[in-house]
């Protein structure tokens, strides 16, 4: 007990919790921005066959096929903004490409007859997308979106490499203060447990959503 008390003092716990707060804040902002930009990218790539669609495809494939840590380092050292914002920016531009492909999958899952039915009722392309297709798309991709949220939470741990004091960064700072390897590994195990609890909870939501979607209910065409 004394051994644990020497590690998890009140100051150390507050220090770690402040890092956890930073981690969750970065994750929430990243997911929100990435979903917005990813939706735009997915729509452009899926429905624009011109230069805009090609540029969206290049963006998506570039970030999907390169390491996240590369962009974290590049943005941190090449873009003159504070570390906290560079972390959000790097995660957002990377995750937006992943979100775009998730959105594209949801769009392609919407039956093509939805467009024909909407056009027959006098809807334009934009109205059909915003009122009929996109709502169905997001309903289809909820499990995939939640899975990506889990990935984003884990990916924030890379930010300590550029001195951003998130949960992992704070933990690494504390580890440097301990002389005993037993203390270091105990703290490391505690950090891993916190990540596990957060992501296991989110995984439970994903499994629940998947079971709900696979409960045997057939998709109903939107009425227009």
């Amino acid at each position: 007990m004394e051994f644990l008390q020497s590690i998890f003092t009140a100051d150390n716990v507050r220090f770690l919790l402040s890092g956890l707060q930073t981690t969750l804040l970065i994750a929430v902002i990243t997911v929100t921005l990435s979903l917005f930009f990813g939706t735009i990218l997915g729509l452009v790539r899926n429905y624009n066959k011109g230069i805009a669609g090609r540029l969206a495809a290049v963006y998506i494939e570039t970030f999907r096929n390169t390491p996240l840590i590369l962009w974290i380092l590049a943005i941190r050292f090449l873009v003159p903004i504070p570390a906290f914002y560079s972390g959000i920016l790097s995660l957002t531009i990377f995750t937006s490409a992943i979100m775009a492909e998730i959105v594209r999958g949801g769009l392609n899952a919407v039956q093509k007859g939805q467009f024909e039915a909407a056009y027959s009722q006098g809807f334009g392309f934009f109205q059909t997308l915003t009122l009929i297709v996109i709502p169905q798309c997001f309903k289809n991709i909820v499990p995939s979106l939640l899975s990506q949220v889990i990935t984003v939470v884990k990916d924030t741990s890379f930010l300590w490499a550029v001195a951003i004091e998130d949960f992992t960064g704070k933990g690494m700072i504390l580890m440097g203060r301990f002389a005993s390897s037993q203390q270091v590994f105990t703290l490391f195990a505690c950090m891993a447990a916190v990540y596990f609890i957060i992501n296991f909870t989110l995984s439970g939501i994903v499994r629940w959503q998947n079971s709900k979607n696979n409960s045997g209910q057939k998709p109903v065409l939107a009425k227009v």
Side-chain angles (χ1 to χ4, degrees), residues 1-202:
M1 184 63 69
E2 291 182 1
F3 169 74
L4 293 177
Q5 288 177 344
S6 69
I7 301 173
F8 301 109
T9 64
D11 288 340
N12 286 351
V13 170
R14 281 194 294 268
F15 189 70
L16 286 173
L17 288 178
S18 68
L20 181 60
Q21 182 180 14
T22 300
T23 288
L24 296 178
L25 179 60
I26 290 174
V28 169
I29 295 174
T30 296
V31 169
T32 302
L33 294 176
S34 298
L35 182 57
F36 175 76
F37 291 114
T39 298
I40 295 174
L41 284 168
L43 288 169
V44 171
R45 184 175 184 182
N46 216 45
Y47 296 118
N48 188 294
K49 305 305 178 185
I51 185 65
R54 294 189 183 95
L55 289 175
V58 169
Y59 178 95
I60 292 169
E61 294 304 323
T62 297
F63 285 97
R64 287 182 66 229
N65 293 287
T66 49
L68 170 59
I69 189 65
L70 172 68
W71 300 105
I72 291 175
L73 293 170
I75 291 174
R76 179 67 185 97
F77 296 115
L78 297 179
V79 181
I81 56 177
F84 177 81
Y85 296 107
S86 74
I88 292 175
L89 179 59
S90 58
L91 286 173
T92 297
I93 64 172
F94 184 87
T95 307
S96 292
I98 311 301
M99 290 292 193
E101 287 300 279
I102 293 174
V103 170
R104 281 189 67 219
L107 292 171
N108 291 328
V110 177
Q111 298 184 23
K112 302 300 182 183
Q114 297 289 334
F115 282 96
E116 298 172 3
Y119 293 156
S120 69
Q121 297 297 318
F123 284 72
F125 179 75
F126 182 76
Q127 287 178 304
T128 303
L129 277 181
T130 56
L131 299 177
I132 299 173
V133 175
I134 292 179
Q136 293 185 65
C137 165
F138 281 119
K139 182 179 179 180
N140 292 334
I141 65 176
V142 167
S144 297
L145 287 179
L146 290 174
S147 294
Q148 186 58 35
V149 171
I150 295 172
T151 300
V152 170
V153 173
K154 292 187 292 185
D155 284 348
T156 59
S157 61
F158 288 117
L159 298 178
W160 77 271
V162 289
I164 296 176
E165 294 186 7
D166 66 327
F167 186 59
T168 299
K170 296 280 192 181
M172 298 299 291
I173 292 172
L174 281 184
M175 288 181 194
R177 299 174 183 174
F178 297 133
S180 166
S181 59
Q182 187 178 10
Q183 289 175 311
V184 170
F185 283 112
T186 299
L187 180 57
F188 186 84
C190 174
M191 293 168 57
V194 171
Y195 277 111
F196 175 81
I197 291 170
I198 294 172
N199 291 317
F200 185 77
T201 301
L202 292 172

